[in-house]
Amino acid sequence: MERTAVFLDIDGTLCNYNGEVPPSAGDAVRAARKAGHVVVLCTGRFRAEIYPELWEFGVDGLIDGNGSYVELNEKVLLHQPIPETEAHAIADWLHERGLEFFLESNNGLFASEHFETAGEPVIRQYSAGKGVENAATQTVREVFPHMIFGGNLHRDDLNKVSFILNNYQDFLDAAAAFPALKAGTWGGKGEHALFGDLGVAGISIATAMQVLVEHAGISAEHTVALGDAKVDIPMFEFARAGVAMGNAGEEAKAAADFVTDDVDEHGLAHAFTRLGLITK
């Protein structure tokens, strides 16, 4: 098979919702790389959230922040942070509104003063919706083991801000207050969302993927993408072949070229075999 760029979502694709990488998935990634393919993590997380265990079995690159940052073989190819003045203004606005938040940068996650307490019930609700076994007892520090508490909240390296929604109006008001930024929600749909977020506008997964394959010297015709959620659909649209995990949402399944097995049922390894990236 031609040298191929393989773009992998993390949560629900490479690892399960308990953060565990199935042994068969790690073996498949190593085998694909040994065969000469380029394996890239492609995620809404930021580099500070790519914990050591995700690097240990070996990957070649990273696209994070849904396209704001691109890295290949430890070389940064693209980075689009929020302008410093906007970053400071967001923190001030959230403080004034009494909304707890965390700042997402490649240098770490930085929690607001009361996020640890306010975030606990919200994180538990989010985890329960994902089917996490110990959702009812999770703490913020367990979910975000490297989160920094008491750090500087006026930063110049900010990629995105996530904040707890007291109600859907908080999201609407944030979008109106920062029209130059991209406003979104996560943890639920519409008025059932748990978090709002603000990030750089105009970011595109497709652009980030194109930057990476050009630098790697790989044709866009030799790309595949694997994911489990609606947010992964732009990956599928760019790649020659898009694969949804068996545990994926219905929208992701409908957009994919085929559906593999669940993440905990060797879904990634089975997909790699079907795609010809590895042999049994």
Side-chain angles (χ1 to χ4, degrees):
M1 183 181 184
E2 291 279 352
R3 183 167 175 256
T4 297
V6 183
F7 296 93
L8 289 181
D9 170 52
I10 296 178
D11 300 295
T13 302
L14 176 60
C15 65
N16 62 29
Y17 294 121
N18 291 315
E20 302 159 337
V21 178
S24 63
D27 290 344
V29 169
R30 284 187 285 268
R33 294 183 73 230
K34 187 176 181 179
H37 304 302
V38 174
V39 179
V40 179
L41 301 178
C42 194
T43 177
R45 297 191 191 190
F46 290 97
R47 204 182 195 287
E49 300 171 271
I50 311 300
Y51 305 129
E53 56 269 25
L54 292 175
W55 294 107
E56 285 174 358
F57 57 83
V59 293
D60 298 285
L62 168 69
I63 293 175
D64 74 19
N66 294 322
S68 68
Y69 176 85
V70 182
E71 173 184 321
L72 182 65
N73 297 324
E74 300 184 352
K75 180 179 180 180
V76 178
L77 307 181
L78 175 70
H79 188 199
Q80 302 177 81
I82 295 174
E84 183 176 0
T85 54
E86 288 272 63
H88 292 189
I90 294 168
D92 292 342
W93 186 86
L94 291 169
H95 273 131
E96 291 169 5
R97 199 174 180 96
L99 298 176
E100 297 302 322
F101 60 92
F102 63 93
L103 309 178
E104 303 177 52
S105 87
N106 287 349
N107 295 310
L109 301 183
F110 299 86
S112 62
E113 292 81 353
H114 306 292
F115 181 79
E116 183 173 7
T117 301
E120 188 172 274
V122 186
I123 288 296
R124 289 177 178 178
Q125 186 177 347
Y126 174 71
S127 296
K130 289 289 187 179
V132 176
E133 294 177 2
N134 64 334
T137 60
Q138 280 190 324
T139 67
V140 168
R141 289 180 186 264
E142 288 172 341
V143 176
F144 300 107
H146 298 284
M147 182 170 276
I148 297 166
F149 299 88
N152 177 26
L153 299 178
H154 277 170
R155 308 193 59 81
D156 61 3
D157 60 351
L158 186 57
N159 295 321
K160 191 176 76 172
V161 181
S162 287
F163 54 95
I164 298 172
L165 294 173
N166 290 333
N167 51 62
Y168 195 66
Q169 190 62 44
D170 291 330
F171 158 69
L172 297 176
D173 291 346
F178 300 98
L181 298 178
K182 181 180 179 180
T185 62
W186 57 279
K189 294 182 179 180
E191 295 189 11
H192 298 291
L194 301 175
F195 289 88
D197 61 36
L198 292 165
V200 179
I203 288 173
S204 164
I205 285 286
T207 298
M209 294 170 76
Q210 185 65 43
V211 166
L212 189 141
V213 296
E214 286 181 357
H215 190 84
I218 296 174
S219 166
E221 289 299 308
H222 301 297
T223 56
V224 298
L226 294 89
D228 75 309
K230 181 179 179 180
V231 70
D232 298 318
I233 292 175
M235 279 202 306
F236 298 167
E237 292 173 342
F238 178 90
R240 174 186 59 81
V243 182
M245 304 301 290
N247 47 276
E250 292 305 314
E251 289 173 291
K253 289 179 177 178
D257 292 290
F258 71 86
V259 179
T260 187
D261 298 302
D262 285 15
V263 61
D264 283 321
E265 297 175 357
H266 314 296
L268 189 142
H270 291 166
F272 275 28
T273 301
R274 180 170 173 178
L275 290 165
L277 300 170
I278 61 174
T279 56
K280 290 184 178 179

mmCIF file of all heavy atoms in Angstrom, residues 13-61:
data_model
loop_
_atom_site.group_PDB
_atom_site.id
_atom_site.type_symbol
_atom_site.label_atom_id
_atom_site.label_comp_id
_atom_site.label_asym_id
_atom_site.label_seq_id
_atom_site.Cartn_x
_atom_site.Cartn_y
_atom_site.Cartn_z
ATOM 1 N N THR A 13 -11.889 6.654 20.158
ATOM 2 C CA THR A 13 -11.317 6.101 18.929
ATOM 3 C C THR A 13 -10.014 5.366 19.233
ATOM 4 O O THR A 13 -9.927 4.157 19.109
ATOM 5 C CB THR A 13 -11.070 7.213 17.900
ATOM 6 O OG1 THR A 13 -12.305 7.884 17.613
ATOM 7 C CG2 THR A 13 -10.497 6.641 16.603
ATOM 8 N N LEU A 14 -9.005 6.111 19.628
ATOM 9 C CA LEU A 14 -7.746 5.489 20.039
ATOM 10 C C LEU A 14 -7.850 4.917 21.447
ATOM 11 O O LEU A 14 -7.338 3.837 21.731
ATOM 12 C CB LEU A 14 -6.614 6.517 19.969
ATOM 13 C CG LEU A 14 -5.246 6.059 20.460
ATOM 14 C CD1 LEU A 14 -4.741 4.877 19.646
ATOM 15 C CD2 LEU A 14 -4.255 7.206 20.407
ATOM 16 N N CYS A 15 -8.517 5.668 22.326
ATOM 17 C CA CYS A 15 -8.725 5.181 23.686
ATOM 18 C C CYS A 15 -10.216 5.190 24.010
ATOM 19 O O CYS A 15 -10.998 5.885 23.345
ATOM 20 C CB CYS A 15 -7.956 6.018 24.707
ATOM 21 S SG CYS A 15 -8.481 7.740 24.852
ATOM 22 N N ASN A 16 -10.606 4.423 24.999
ATOM 23 C CA ASN A 16 -12.005 4.409 25.406
ATOM 24 C C ASN A 16 -12.294 5.612 26.303
ATOM 25 O O ASN A 16 -11.408 6.421 26.580
ATOM 26 C CB ASN A 16 -12.381 3.083 26.079
ATOM 27 C CG ASN A 16 -11.580 2.822 27.359
ATOM 28 O OD1 ASN A 16 -11.148 3.737 28.059
ATOM 29 N ND2 ASN A 16 -11.378 1.546 27.662
ATOM 30 N N TYR A 17 -13.523 5.713 26.778
ATOM 31 C CA TYR A 17 -13.901 6.903 27.546
ATOM 32 C C TYR A 17 -13.380 6.877 28.981
ATOM 33 O O TYR A 17 -13.580 7.829 29.731
ATOM 34 C CB TYR A 17 -15.419 7.087 27.503
ATOM 35 C CG TYR A 17 -15.919 7.407 26.112
ATOM 36 C CD1 TYR A 17 -16.855 6.589 25.484
ATOM 37 C CD2 TYR A 17 -15.427 8.502 25.414
ATOM 38 C CE1 TYR A 17 -17.301 6.864 24.206
ATOM 39 C CE2 TYR A 17 -15.868 8.788 24.130
ATOM 40 C CZ TYR A 17 -16.801 7.967 23.528
ATOM 41 O OH TYR A 17 -17.231 8.246 22.260
ATOM 42 N N ASN A 18 -12.677 5.807 29.332
ATOM 43 C CA ASN A 18 -11.958 5.774 30.608
ATOM 44 C C ASN A 18 -10.492 6.141 30.413
ATOM 45 O O ASN A 18 -9.695 6.051 31.343
ATOM 46 C CB ASN A 18 -12.069 4.388 31.257
ATOM 47 C CG ASN A 18 -13.478 4.094 31.740
ATOM 48 O OD1 ASN A 18 -14.115 4.946 32.360
ATOM 49 N ND2 ASN A 18 -13.965 2.896 31.453
ATOM 50 N N GLY A 19 -10.147 6.536 29.189
ATOM 51 C CA GLY A 19 -8.785 6.950 28.903
ATOM 52 C C GLY A 19 -7.820 5.813 28.659
ATOM 53 O O GLY A 19 -6.604 6.021 28.616
ATOM 54 N N GLU A 20 -8.331 4.603 28.439
ATOM 55 C CA GLU A 20 -7.485 3.427 28.256
ATOM 56 C C GLU A 20 -7.319 3.111 26.770
ATOM 57 O O GLU A 20 -8.299 3.042 26.036
ATOM 58 C CB GLU A 20 -8.115 2.224 28.958
ATOM 59 C CG GLU A 20 -8.347 2.433 30.450
ATOM 60 C CD GLU A 20 -9.391 1.498 31.019
ATOM 61 O OE1 GLU A 20 -10.245 0.991 30.247
ATOM 62 O OE2 GLU A 20 -9.361 1.277 32.251
ATOM 63 N N VAL A 21 -6.075 2.938 26.334
ATOM 64 C CA VAL A 21 -5.795 2.529 24.960
ATOM 65 C C VAL A 21 -5.802 1.004 24.908
ATOM 66 O O VAL A 21 -4.954 0.360 25.540
ATOM 67 C CB VAL A 21 -4.432 3.057 24.483
ATOM 68 C CG1 VAL A 21 -4.141 2.572 23.065
ATOM 69 C CG2 VAL A 21 -4.394 4.580 24.537
ATOM 70 N N PRO A 22 -6.735 0.389 24.208
ATOM 71 C CA PRO A 22 -6.738 -1.075 24.111
ATOM 72 C C PRO A 22 -5.413 -1.571 23.533
ATOM 73 O O PRO A 22 -4.881 -0.956 22.606
ATOM 74 C CB PRO A 22 -7.903 -1.375 23.157
ATOM 75 C CG PRO A 22 -8.800 -0.169 23.282
ATOM 76 C CD PRO A 22 -7.873 0.988 23.483
ATOM 77 N N PRO A 23 -4.851 -2.655 24.059
ATOM 78 C CA PRO A 23 -3.576 -3.164 23.537
ATOM 79 C C PRO A 23 -3.583 -3.358 22.023
ATOM 80 O O PRO A 23 -2.579 -3.096 21.353
ATOM 81 C CB PRO A 23 -3.410 -4.497 24.281
ATOM 82 C CG PRO A 23 -4.133 -4.279 25.579
ATOM 83 C CD PRO A 23 -5.329 -3.440 25.224
ATOM 84 N N SER A 24 -4.711 -3.822 21.483
ATOM 85 C CA SER A 24 -4.765 -4.056 20.032
ATOM 86 C C SER A 24 -4.629 -2.755 19.260
ATOM 87 O O SER A 24 -4.080 -2.737 18.141
ATOM 88 C CB SER A 24 -6.080 -4.749 19.654
ATOM 89 O OG SER A 24 -7.206 -3.928 19.950
ATOM 90 N N ALA A 25 -5.112 -1.637 19.830
ATOM 91 C CA ALA A 25 -4.987 -0.341 19.169
ATOM 92 C C ALA A 25 -3.531 0.115 19.154
ATOM 93 O O ALA A 25 -3.017 0.593 18.131
ATOM 94 C CB ALA A 25 -5.862 0.694 19.865
ATOM 95 N N GLY A 26 -2.852 -0.021 20.297
ATOM 96 C CA GLY A 26 -1.437 0.334 20.346
ATOM 97 C C GLY A 26 -0.614 -0.503 19.391
ATOM 98 O O GLY A 26 0.262 0.011 18.687
ATOM 99 N N ASP A 27 -0.905 -1.810 19.325
ATOM 100 C CA ASP A 27 -0.186 -2.697 18.416
ATOM 101 C C ASP A 27 -0.424 -2.287 16.962
ATOM 102 O O ASP A 27 0.494 -2.319 16.126
ATOM 103 C CB ASP A 27 -0.636 -4.143 18.622
ATOM 104 C CG ASP A 27 -0.177 -4.729 19.954
ATOM 105 O OD1 ASP A 27 0.733 -4.148 20.584
ATOM 106 O OD2 ASP A 27 -0.761 -5.758 20.367
ATOM 107 N N ALA A 28 -1.656 -1.903 16.644
ATOM 108 C CA ALA A 28 -1.990 -1.519 15.281
ATOM 109 C C ALA A 28 -1.248 -0.252 14.868
ATOM 110 O O ALA A 28 -0.749 -0.142 13.735
ATOM 111 C CB ALA A 28 -3.499 -1.316 15.145
ATOM 112 N N VAL A 29 -1.185 0.727 15.764
ATOM 113 C CA VAL A 29 -0.463 1.968 15.464
ATOM 114 C C VAL A 29 1.011 1.674 15.218
ATOM 115 O O VAL A 29 1.618 2.167 14.250
ATOM 116 C CB VAL A 29 -0.640 2.989 16.603
ATOM 117 C CG1 VAL A 29 0.314 4.166 16.419
ATOM 118 C CG2 VAL A 29 -2.079 3.487 16.649
ATOM 119 N N ARG A 30 1.609 0.873 16.088
ATOM 120 C CA ARG A 30 3.030 0.545 15.918
ATOM 121 C C ARG A 30 3.277 -0.197 14.598
ATOM 122 O O ARG A 30 4.251 0.079 13.884
ATOM 123 C CB ARG A 30 3.509 -0.284 17.110
ATOM 124 C CG ARG A 30 3.737 0.542 18.372
ATOM 125 C CD ARG A 30 4.370 -0.299 19.480
ATOM 126 N NE ARG A 30 3.390 -1.196 20.078
ATOM 127 C CZ ARG A 30 2.650 -0.888 21.142
ATOM 128 N NH1 ARG A 30 2.790 0.303 21.720
ATOM 129 N NH2 ARG A 30 1.784 -1.754 21.638
ATOM 130 N N ALA A 31 2.383 -1.129 14.267
ATOM 131 C CA ALA A 31 2.546 -1.893 13.026
ATOM 132 C C ALA A 31 2.396 -0.997 11.800
ATOM 133 O O ALA A 31 3.130 -1.147 10.811
ATOM 134 C CB ALA A 31 1.524 -3.034 12.981
ATOM 135 N N ALA A 32 1.440 -0.067 11.854
ATOM 136 C CA ALA A 32 1.236 0.841 10.719
ATOM 137 C C ALA A 32 2.453 1.733 10.507
ATOM 138 O O ALA A 32 2.883 1.967 9.371
ATOM 139 C CB ALA A 32 -0.016 1.684 10.946
ATOM 140 N N ARG A 33 3.012 2.220 11.591
ATOM 141 C CA ARG A 33 4.209 3.062 11.473
ATOM 142 C C ARG A 33 5.398 2.251 10.972
ATOM 143 O O ARG A 33 6.197 2.734 10.170
ATOM 144 C CB ARG A 33 4.521 3.723 12.819
ATOM 145 C CG ARG A 33 3.452 4.720 13.261
ATOM 146 C CD ARG A 33 3.828 5.395 14.554
ATOM 147 N NE ARG A 33 4.892 6.358 14.350
ATOM 148 C CZ ARG A 33 6.008 6.417 15.074
ATOM 149 N NH1 ARG A 33 6.220 5.545 16.040
ATOM 150 N NH2 ARG A 33 6.915 7.338 14.823
ATOM 151 N N LYS A 34 5.515 1.022 11.433
ATOM 152 C CA LYS A 34 6.607 0.157 10.962
ATOM 153 C C LYS A 34 6.483 -0.095 9.467
ATOM 154 O O LYS A 34 7.495 -0.249 8.758
ATOM 155 C CB LYS A 34 6.587 -1.166 11.733
ATOM 156 C CG LYS A 34 7.775 -2.063 11.427
ATOM 157 C CD LYS A 34 7.760 -3.318 12.300
ATOM 158 C CE LYS A 34 8.975 -4.203 12.002
ATOM 159 N NZ LYS A 34 8.975 -5.429 12.862
ATOM 160 N N ALA A 35 5.248 -0.122 8.973
ATOM 161 C CA ALA A 35 5.006 -0.320 7.543
ATOM 162 C C ALA A 35 5.258 0.946 6.729
ATOM 163 O O ALA A 35 5.127 0.931 5.505
ATOM 164 C CB ALA A 35 3.580 -0.809 7.324
ATOM 165 N N GLY A 36 5.592 2.053 7.417
ATOM 166 C CA GLY A 36 5.936 3.293 6.726
ATOM 167 C C GLY A 36 4.854 4.343 6.690
ATOM 168 O O GLY A 36 5.050 5.421 6.111
ATOM 169 N N HIS A 37 3.707 4.063 7.311
ATOM 170 C CA HIS A 37 2.627 5.037 7.317
ATOM 171 C C HIS A 37 2.855 6.088 8.405
ATOM 172 O O HIS A 37 3.580 5.850 9.378
ATOM 173 C CB HIS A 37 1.289 4.326 7.526
ATOM 174 C CG HIS A 37 1.026 3.260 6.506
ATOM 175 N ND1 HIS A 37 0.985 3.524 5.156
ATOM 176 C CD2 HIS A 37 0.834 1.912 6.644
ATOM 177 C CE1 HIS A 37 0.746 2.404 4.499
ATOM 178 N NE2 HIS A 37 0.663 1.407 5.376
ATOM 179 N N VAL A 38 2.246 7.237 8.229
ATOM 180 C CA VAL A 38 2.388 8.351 9.162
ATOM 181 C C VAL A 38 1.111 8.438 9.986
ATOM 182 O O VAL A 38 0.016 8.613 9.433
ATOM 183 C CB VAL A 38 2.623 9.676 8.402
ATOM 184 C CG1 VAL A 38 2.635 10.860 9.362
ATOM 185 C CG2 VAL A 38 3.941 9.607 7.628
ATOM 186 N N VAL A 39 1.242 8.321 11.309
ATOM 187 C CA VAL A 39 0.078 8.313 12.196
ATOM 188 C C VAL A 39 0.041 9.627 12.973
ATOM 189 O O VAL A 39 1.015 9.987 13.643
ATOM 190 C CB VAL A 39 0.112 7.124 13.167
ATOM 191 C CG1 VAL A 39 -1.100 7.156 14.091
ATOM 192 C CG2 VAL A 39 0.151 5.810 12.385
ATOM 193 N N VAL A 40 -1.092 10.311 12.875
ATOM 194 C CA VAL A 40 -1.239 11.648 13.450
ATOM 195 C C VAL A 40 -2.471 11.686 14.353
ATOM 196 O O VAL A 40 -3.567 11.284 13.934
ATOM 197 C CB VAL A 40 -1.393 12.704 12.334
ATOM 198 C CG1 VAL A 40 -1.573 14.097 12.922
ATOM 199 C CG2 VAL A 40 -0.198 12.659 11.389
ATOM 200 N N LEU A 41 -2.306 12.159 15.582
ATOM 201 C CA LEU A 41 -3.447 12.403 16.453
ATOM 202 C C LEU A 41 -4.157 13.656 15.971
ATOM 203 O O LEU A 41 -3.510 14.675 15.677
ATOM 204 C CB LEU A 41 -2.997 12.578 17.902
ATOM 205 C CG LEU A 41 -2.245 11.404 18.532
ATOM 206 C CD1 LEU A 41 -1.817 11.756 19.955
ATOM 207 C CD2 LEU A 41 -3.107 10.146 18.526
ATOM 208 N N CYS A 42 -5.474 13.604 15.894
ATOM 209 C CA CYS A 42 -6.252 14.740 15.403
ATOM 210 C C CYS A 42 -7.404 14.946 16.379
ATOM 211 O O CYS A 42 -8.337 14.139 16.427
ATOM 212 C CB CYS A 42 -6.761 14.450 14.003
ATOM 213 S SG CYS A 42 -7.385 15.879 13.113
ATOM 214 N N THR A 43 -7.355 16.019 17.166
ATOM 215 C CA THR A 43 -8.223 16.109 18.334
ATOM 216 C C THR A 43 -8.610 17.540 18.668
ATOM 217 O O THR A 43 -7.943 18.496 18.257
ATOM 218 C CB THR A 43 -7.496 15.482 19.547
ATOM 219 O OG1 THR A 43 -8.291 15.612 20.719
ATOM 220 C CG2 THR A 43 -6.146 16.147 19.792
ATOM 221 N N GLY A 44 -9.681 17.661 19.441
ATOM 222 C CA GLY A 44 -10.055 18.959 19.991
ATOM 223 C C GLY A 44 -9.238 19.310 21.216
ATOM 224 O O GLY A 44 -9.251 20.445 21.673
ATOM 225 N N ARG A 45 -8.532 18.325 21.771
ATOM 226 C CA ARG A 45 -7.634 18.604 22.891
ATOM 227 C C ARG A 45 -6.488 19.503 22.426
ATOM 228 O O ARG A 45 -6.249 19.666 21.225
ATOM 229 C CB ARG A 45 -7.015 17.306 23.412
ATOM 230 C CG ARG A 45 -7.942 16.269 23.999
ATOM 231 C CD ARG A 45 -7.093 15.213 24.673
ATOM 232 N NE ARG A 45 -7.837 14.011 25.055
ATOM 233 C CZ ARG A 45 -7.334 13.063 25.828
ATOM 234 N NH1 ARG A 45 -6.095 13.187 26.285
ATOM 235 N NH2 ARG A 45 -8.060 11.999 26.138
ATOM 236 N N PHE A 46 -5.749 20.028 23.418
ATOM 237 C CA PHE A 46 -4.533 20.765 23.105
ATOM 238 C C PHE A 46 -3.331 19.979 23.598
ATOM 239 O O PHE A 46 -3.456 19.025 24.367
ATOM 240 C CB PHE A 46 -4.588 22.167 23.711
ATOM 241 C CG PHE A 46 -5.591 23.032 23.019
ATOM 242 C CD1 PHE A 46 -6.867 23.193 23.546
ATOM 243 C CD2 PHE A 46 -5.296 23.650 21.818
ATOM 244 C CE1 PHE A 46 -7.820 23.966 22.889
ATOM 245 C CE2 PHE A 46 -6.242 24.410 21.150
ATOM 246 C CZ PHE A 46 -7.502 24.574 21.684
ATOM 247 N N ARG A 47 -2.137 20.381 23.159
ATOM 248 C CA ARG A 47 -0.953 19.574 23.397
ATOM 249 C C ARG A 47 -0.755 19.240 24.874
ATOM 250 O O ARG A 47 -0.284 18.156 25.215
ATOM 251 C CB ARG A 47 0.294 20.275 22.849
ATOM 252 C CG ARG A 47 1.411 19.283 22.541
ATOM 253 C CD ARG A 47 2.674 19.956 22.055
ATOM 254 N NE ARG A 47 3.577 18.996 21.445
ATOM 255 C CZ ARG A 47 4.284 18.082 22.103
ATOM 256 N NH1 ARG A 47 4.172 18.012 23.423
ATOM 257 N NH2 ARG A 47 5.091 17.252 21.473
ATOM 258 N N ALA A 48 -1.100 20.175 25.746
ATOM 259 C CA ALA A 48 -0.932 19.926 27.179
ATOM 260 C C ALA A 48 -1.828 18.797 27.679
ATOM 261 O O ALA A 48 -1.586 18.240 28.749
ATOM 262 C CB ALA A 48 -1.224 21.202 27.970
ATOM 263 N N GLU A 49 -2.860 18.447 26.902
ATOM 264 C CA GLU A 49 -3.774 17.376 27.287
ATOM 265 C C GLU A 49 -3.423 16.037 26.629
ATOM 266 O O GLU A 49 -4.139 15.057 26.806
ATOM 267 C CB GLU A 49 -5.204 17.747 26.898
ATOM 268 C CG GLU A 49 -5.719 19.014 27.558
ATOM 269 C CD GLU A 49 -7.046 19.447 26.973
ATOM 270 O OE1 GLU A 49 -7.040 20.203 25.989
ATOM 271 O OE2 GLU A 49 -8.082 19.013 27.494
ATOM 272 N N ILE A 50 -2.334 16.023 25.874
ATOM 273 C CA ILE A 50 -1.869 14.771 25.286
ATOM 274 C C ILE A 50 -0.877 14.177 26.277
ATOM 275 O O ILE A 50 0.318 14.471 26.254
ATOM 276 C CB ILE A 50 -1.188 15.002 23.915
ATOM 277 C CG1 ILE A 50 -2.073 15.883 23.027
ATOM 278 C CG2 ILE A 50 -0.911 13.666 23.242
ATOM 279 C CD1 ILE A 50 -3.432 15.316 22.723
ATOM 280 N N TYR A 51 -1.392 13.386 27.187
ATOM 281 C CA TYR A 51 -0.600 12.892 28.304
ATOM 282 C C TYR A 51 0.429 11.862 27.839
ATOM 283 O O TYR A 51 0.274 11.237 26.781
ATOM 284 C CB TYR A 51 -1.526 12.334 29.387
ATOM 285 C CG TYR A 51 -2.564 13.345 29.829
ATOM 286 C CD1 TYR A 51 -3.914 13.016 29.879
ATOM 287 C CD2 TYR A 51 -2.174 14.653 30.151
ATOM 288 C CE1 TYR A 51 -4.862 13.961 30.265
ATOM 289 C CE2 TYR A 51 -3.111 15.596 30.536
ATOM 290 C CZ TYR A 51 -4.455 15.254 30.591
ATOM 291 O OH TYR A 51 -5.379 16.182 30.970
ATOM 292 N N PRO A 52 1.497 11.661 28.602
ATOM 293 C CA PRO A 52 2.618 10.821 28.170
ATOM 294 C C PRO A 52 2.226 9.452 27.641
ATOM 295 O O PRO A 52 2.817 8.969 26.668
ATOM 296 C CB PRO A 52 3.475 10.712 29.441
ATOM 297 C CG PRO A 52 3.209 11.985 30.176
ATOM 298 C CD PRO A 52 1.754 12.282 29.925
ATOM 299 N N GLU A 53 1.222 8.829 28.259
ATOM 300 C CA GLU A 53 0.851 7.485 27.834
ATOM 301 C C GLU A 53 0.352 7.443 26.389
ATOM 302 O O GLU A 53 0.401 6.397 25.736
ATOM 303 C CB GLU A 53 -0.210 6.887 28.764
ATOM 304 C CG GLU A 53 -1.478 7.702 28.917
ATOM 305 C CD GLU A 53 -1.430 8.685 30.083
ATOM 306 O OE1 GLU A 53 -0.320 9.085 30.484
ATOM 307 O OE2 GLU A 53 -2.519 9.044 30.576
ATOM 308 N N LEU A 54 -0.147 8.592 25.872
ATOM 309 C CA LEU A 54 -0.609 8.635 24.490
ATOM 310 C C LEU A 54 0.551 8.761 23.506
ATOM 311 O O LEU A 54 0.397 8.489 22.317
ATOM 312 C CB LEU A 54 -1.595 9.788 24.290
ATOM 313 C CG LEU A 54 -2.930 9.642 25.009
ATOM 314 C CD1 LEU A 54 -3.774 10.898 24.825
ATOM 315 C CD2 LEU A 54 -3.686 8.422 24.499
ATOM 316 N N TRP A 55 1.701 9.195 23.983
ATOM 317 C CA TRP A 55 2.879 9.297 23.129
ATOM 318 C C TRP A 55 3.713 8.025 23.186
ATOM 319 O O TRP A 55 4.530 7.766 22.294
ATOM 320 C CB TRP A 55 3.767 10.468 23.562
ATOM 321 C CG TRP A 55 3.162 11.822 23.392
ATOM 322 C CD1 TRP A 55 2.697 12.645 24.373
ATOM 323 C CD2 TRP A 55 2.971 12.542 22.159
ATOM 324 N NE1 TRP A 55 2.226 13.822 23.837
ATOM 325 C CE2 TRP A 55 2.381 13.784 22.485
ATOM 326 C CE3 TRP A 55 3.248 12.252 20.825
ATOM 327 C CZ2 TRP A 55 2.066 14.742 21.532
ATOM 328 C CZ3 TRP A 55 2.929 13.212 19.861
ATOM 329 C CH2 TRP A 55 2.347 14.434 20.220
ATOM 330 N N GLU A 56 3.549 7.236 24.245
ATOM 331 C CA GLU A 56 4.480 6.146 24.521
ATOM 332 C C GLU A 56 4.540 5.091 23.430
ATOM 333 O O GLU A 56 5.604 4.542 23.148
ATOM 334 C CB GLU A 56 4.134 5.484 25.865
ATOM 335 C CG GLU A 56 4.536 6.320 27.070
ATOM 336 C CD GLU A 56 4.068 5.725 28.393
ATOM 337 O OE1 GLU A 56 3.397 4.667 28.354
ATOM 338 O OE2 GLU A 56 4.378 6.310 29.436
ATOM 339 N N PHE A 57 3.392 4.768 22.808
ATOM 340 C CA PHE A 57 3.420 3.735 21.784
ATOM 341 C C PHE A 57 3.809 4.305 20.424
ATOM 342 O O PHE A 57 3.981 3.566 19.459
ATOM 343 C CB PHE A 57 2.075 3.003 21.694
ATOM 344 C CG PHE A 57 0.909 3.886 21.432
ATOM 345 C CD1 PHE A 57 0.584 4.280 20.157
ATOM 346 C CD2 PHE A 57 0.106 4.314 22.478
ATOM 347 C CE1 PHE A 57 -0.507 5.091 19.915
ATOM 348 C CE2 PHE A 57 -0.982 5.120 22.257
ATOM 349 C CZ PHE A 57 -1.285 5.512 20.971
ATOM 350 N N GLY A 58 3.970 5.628 20.343
ATOM 351 C CA GLY A 58 4.530 6.254 19.162
ATOM 352 C C GLY A 58 3.522 6.765 18.164
ATOM 353 O O GLY A 58 2.714 6.010 17.635
ATOM 354 N N VAL A 59 3.548 8.055 17.899
ATOM 355 C CA VAL A 59 2.829 8.670 16.792
ATOM 356 C C VAL A 59 3.780 9.668 16.148
ATOM 357 O O VAL A 59 4.786 10.070 16.735
ATOM 358 C CB VAL A 59 1.526 9.381 17.250
ATOM 359 C CG1 VAL A 59 0.509 8.387 17.744
ATOM 360 C CG2 VAL A 59 1.810 10.445 18.299
ATOM 361 N N ASP A 60 3.455 10.070 14.935
ATOM 362 C CA ASP A 60 4.351 10.954 14.187
ATOM 363 C C ASP A 60 4.010 12.424 14.327
ATOM 364 O O ASP A 60 4.886 13.282 14.153
ATOM 365 C CB ASP A 60 4.308 10.577 12.700
ATOM 366 C CG ASP A 60 4.788 9.158 12.464
ATOM 367 O OD1 ASP A 60 6.006 8.936 12.524
ATOM 368 O OD2 ASP A 60 3.934 8.278 12.233
ATOM 369 N N GLY A 61 2.746 12.727 14.619
ATOM 370 C CA GLY A 61 2.366 14.126 14.639
ATOM 371 C C GLY A 61 1.082 14.368 15.400
ATOM 372 O O GLY A 61 0.463 13.445 15.944
#
